[in-house]
Amino acid sequence: MGSFKHFIHAFLGGFALIHLVDAQDQSGFISIACGSPANSNYSEPTTGINYISDAAFIDTGISQQISAVYKGGFQQQVWNLRSFPQGIRNCYNISITQGTKYLIRGTFLYGNYDGQSKLPQFDIHLGVNMWDTVNIMNVTIPVFKELIHAPSLTNLQVCLVNTGLGMPFISAIELRPLNNNTYVANFGSLGLFARLDVGSSISYR
Ligand SMILES: *[C@@H]1O[C@H](CO)[C@@H](O)[C@H](O)[C@H]1NC(C)=O
Ligand SMILES: *[C@@H]1O[C@H](CO)[C@@H](O)[C@H](O)[C@H]1NC(C)=O
Ligand SMILES: *[C@@H]1O[C@H](CO)[C@@H](O)[C@H](O)[C@H]1NC(C)=O
Ligand SMILES: *[C@@H]1O[C@H](CO)[C@@H](O)[C@H](O)[C@H]1NC(C)=O
């Protein structure tokens, strides 16, 4: 997409989102900016969503940043990422509220973070279950994977699995409780760039 189109999306999306987020209670949201500095947190300027570092949820992997030339077009939670050069399977361990149904979203923006321009493919698992294959087709097009899950335990594992087709990485992990319709609508609005990738978006109603 051209930068003008980017701008229009950011511009229009930004207004709609600021409006919604003003009225939004983020309680129960878990918004993790993977690869951002340990213990850091920030409010994403266009959405008002509060993101926290992933460092408290995982011991492995390496913090990386997408190429500076691409940062301007995207929300801040994808500027950093965590890559996994070692091990077949690397897992996040996230505390959740038992019995709550969640919409879980993984976001993957390669952004040529390693300067290699080599697009990887890898799997993600939810606990021991296969979630999906992440096939990065373009340096600047984010991939979203979403599912609805009602965890039966107090912890959730999101795992990146190396299948021999490139180094796994992840940009953001977001969980939204689904027991309140307001939250569902607001999550839908969260995906400022989701509308550019209709295939991976789910219906929020
Ligand atoms: C990646 O996507 C951008 C924006 O849509 C496009 O301009 C570019 O040609 C794509 N690159 C490849 C290798 O498909
Ligand atoms: C965000 O960071 C500030 C310090 O900069 C800290 O006081 C606060 O507890 C952090 N919030 C979260 C949710 O981690
Ligand atoms: C996840 O973290 C919890 C503590 O919050 C711990 O009890 C549990 O064993 C961890 N699970 C894994 C698979 O590491
Ligand atoms: C749903 O969210 C609205 C607005 O935040 C709140 O007023 C209402 O009490 C919530 N309902 C439930 C069932 O949690």
Side-chain angles (χ1 to χ4, degrees), residues 36-111:
S36 66
N39 302 316
S40 68
N41 65 74
Y42 60 86
S43 174
E44 208 291 323
T46 53
T47 61
I49 303 279
N50 297 314
Y51 287 88
I52 57 176
S53 166
D54 65 342
F57 305 98
I58 194 160
D59 296 327
T60 56
I62 298 177
S63 294
Q64 303 276 10
Q65 298 185 32
I66 63 169
S67 169
V69 297
Y70 301 129
K71 284 186 179 174
F74 295 103
Q75 290 178 14
Q76 199 172 337
Q77 70 271 23
V78 300
W79 292 2
N80 292 77
L81 57 94
R82 182 173 294 269
S83 70
F84 299 95
Q86 295 189 315
I88 299 294
R89 178 183 164 91
N90 288 273
C91 296
Y92 284 85
N93 185 11
I94 302 167
S95 300
I96 41 84
T97 305
Q98 192 170 12
T100 297
K101 193 191 280 184
Y102 286 93
L103 176 56
I104 307 173
R105 169 188 279 186
T107 302
F108 308 84
L109 177 69
Y110 172 63

